[in-house]
Amino acid sequence: MAEVDFSVAGSPRQNAVKVENLSWHVAERCILADINLSIREGERVAIIGPNGAGKTSLIKCLAGLHKNFNGEIELAGEAISRLSTRQVARRVALVSQQQSTAFELLTNDMVRMGLLANKPLLAIDDSGDDHRIVEALDLVGLKHKRWHSFNTLSGGEQQRVLIARSIVQSAKILLMDEPTNHLDIFYQHQILSLANELNITVIFSIHNLELASQYADRLVLMQDGKIIAQGDASQVLTTERLQQVFKLPCQVESHPFNPGKRVTFVSGGTCG
Ligand SMILES: Nc1ncnc2c1ncn2[C@@H]1O[C@H](COP(=O)(O)OP(=O)(O)OP(=O)(O)O)[C@@H](O)[C@H]1O
């Protein structure tokens, strides 16, 4: 299958992320191969693809969680392999799939963790820190839950707290691994709009192709650990390609209410 070229003519913005010839193996198994990707500052990129395609693995590589990869990953022009954990945390915030904590942490504690990218672990909070936590919680509409136990919040509220954490972290790249999982339709839209309103680079993996096309400037389609297409929704979400990747007959149309695509799969059918 031919790879769709993606280029932005005359863009003055520098790359937030540049990935060259990335591969990642576990034991003898190749999980990611031949990954090449350049993401501009402020771009919103959705990583899509079937189960096991390598979306989470790629996001973890970009977050600095997998260190034993081959190839090169640059964050704002610096090779990730030359950055300390704290330096990576100053560049990248990660919202991973919603998880309860083993400890009884308060919402405030979860958000406060974002401050640690920029200050020593045992440093005492000053009034500026306090203000930033409140401001971030206010932005995600959860100031009133500041002193509640994180584990008692709903899935959507927990995701918003993790976004508040990334706001106080002040990273210029937000990575989100399936941020809409377990969320109702309202919160799915709310989380993705909120992320886009931050005006930073946002890279998220997602199964819902319509949300991907609605909220991302660019889609990156993965299959079997490789990028098989990237570009805007019209370039990537073609009937032929989706049928080949998802093994179901489908129809792709312009969405009637937003600039994205409407994709309908026919259940029970077989394809490819
Ligand atoms: N640490 C690991 N050790 C061994 N295999 C792994 C590891 N991490 C990922 N894999 C394997 O790599 C493949 C890709 O996994 P990954 O979680 O990246 O896919 P994904 O596209 O995010 O899938 P999903 O849509 O199901 O979340 C899977 O087959 C998975 O089992």
Side-chain angles (χ1 to χ4, degrees):
M1 179 177 294
E3 191 168 313
V4 176
D5 282 331
F6 182 85
S7 59
V8 180
S11 170
R13 288 181 288 177
Q14 79 167 92
N15 283 327
V17 175
K18 188 163 184 207
V19 179
E20 279 184 331
N21 302 322
L22 172 71
S23 64
W24 181 59
H25 295 76
V26 175
E28 295 299 299
R29 188 170 162 217
C30 179
I31 310 284
L32 295 173
D34 304 326
I35 304 283
N36 288 286
L37 195 58
S38 293
I39 297 174
R40 289 168 293 122
E41 279 179 359
E43 198 176 2
R44 280 89 59 116
V45 175
I47 304 175
I48 55 173
N51 287 141
K55 303 179 295 296
T56 298
S57 302
L58 176 57
I59 283 183
K60 285 186 173 174
C61 285
L62 300 181
L65 298 180
H66 293 322
K67 300 191 189 300
N68 56 339
F69 58 81
N70 292 312
E72 195 70 87
I73 297 175
E74 284 182 9
L75 301 175
E78 287 274 358
I80 198 170
S81 52
R82 286 198 287 274
L83 298 173
S84 66
T85 305
R86 181 167 290 216
Q87 287 171 321
V88 171
R90 287 188 191 132
R91 287 168 170 77
V92 173
L94 174 65
V95 174
S96 49
Q97 294 187 42
Q98 173 232 327
Q99 265 176 10
S100 299
T101 65
F103 307 103
E104 267 304 299
L105 292 178
L106 301 174
T107 297
N108 184 75
D109 303 326
M110 290 299 283
V111 180
R112 187 184 176 280
M113 282 181 204
L115 295 172
L116 300 179
N118 294 296
K119 63 189 287 184
L121 186 61
L122 297 177
I124 295 169
D125 288 356
D126 57 34
S127 60
D129 294 334
D130 214 47
H131 179 70
R132 289 173 69 197
I133 293 172
V134 174
E135 206 175 42
L137 279 171
D138 200 19
L139 205 65
V140 300
L142 287 175
K143 201 164 74 170
H144 60 292
K145 298 273 180 160
R146 183 178 180 192
W147 303 112
H148 288 224
S149 158
F150 178 76
N151 286 343
T152 65
L153 302 184
S154 75
E157 288 169 339
Q158 290 187 347
Q159 294 291 67
R160 282 149 69 202
V161 169
L162 297 182
I163 290 189
R165 184 177 70 185
S166 52
I167 292 169
V168 303
Q169 198 173 326
S170 299
K172 290 279 177 266
I173 303 165
L174 175 61
L175 299 174
M176 301 195 292
D177 189 17
E178 298 188 28
T180 55
N181 262 10
H182 313 299
L183 301 187
D184 70 27
I185 306 289
F186 177 83
Y187 282 124
Q188 291 178 19
H189 285 273
Q190 196 196 42
I191 291 287
L192 294 174
S193 329
L194 191 58
N196 282 0
E197 282 161 17
L198 298 177
N199 286 323
I200 59 175
T201 309
V202 180
I203 304 168
F204 60 101
S205 66
I206 191 160
H207 283 288
N208 186 316
L209 303 178
E210 295 186 357
L211 287 176
S213 77
Q214 186 179 346
Y215 285 95
D217 305 311
R218 179 164 30 142
L219 309 187
V220 172
L221 175 60
M222 296 188 69
Q223 185 180 32
D224 298 331
K226 295 186 173 172
I227 294 176
I228 60 162
Q230 54 178 312
D232 64 27
S234 302
Q235 291 171 298
V236 175
L237 301 183
T238 63
T239 302
E240 184 193 46
R241 185 176 287 121
L242 295 183
Q243 289 185 165
Q244 185 269 322
V245 170
F246 293 101
K247 316 279 185 235
L248 281 176
C250 77
Q251 183 177 326
V252 181
E253 315 158 88
S254 295
H255 200 286
F257 306 123
N258 66 54
K261 293 285 176 194
R262 183 156 69 182
V263 183
T264 312
F265 286 96
V266 180
S267 64
T270 52
C271 217

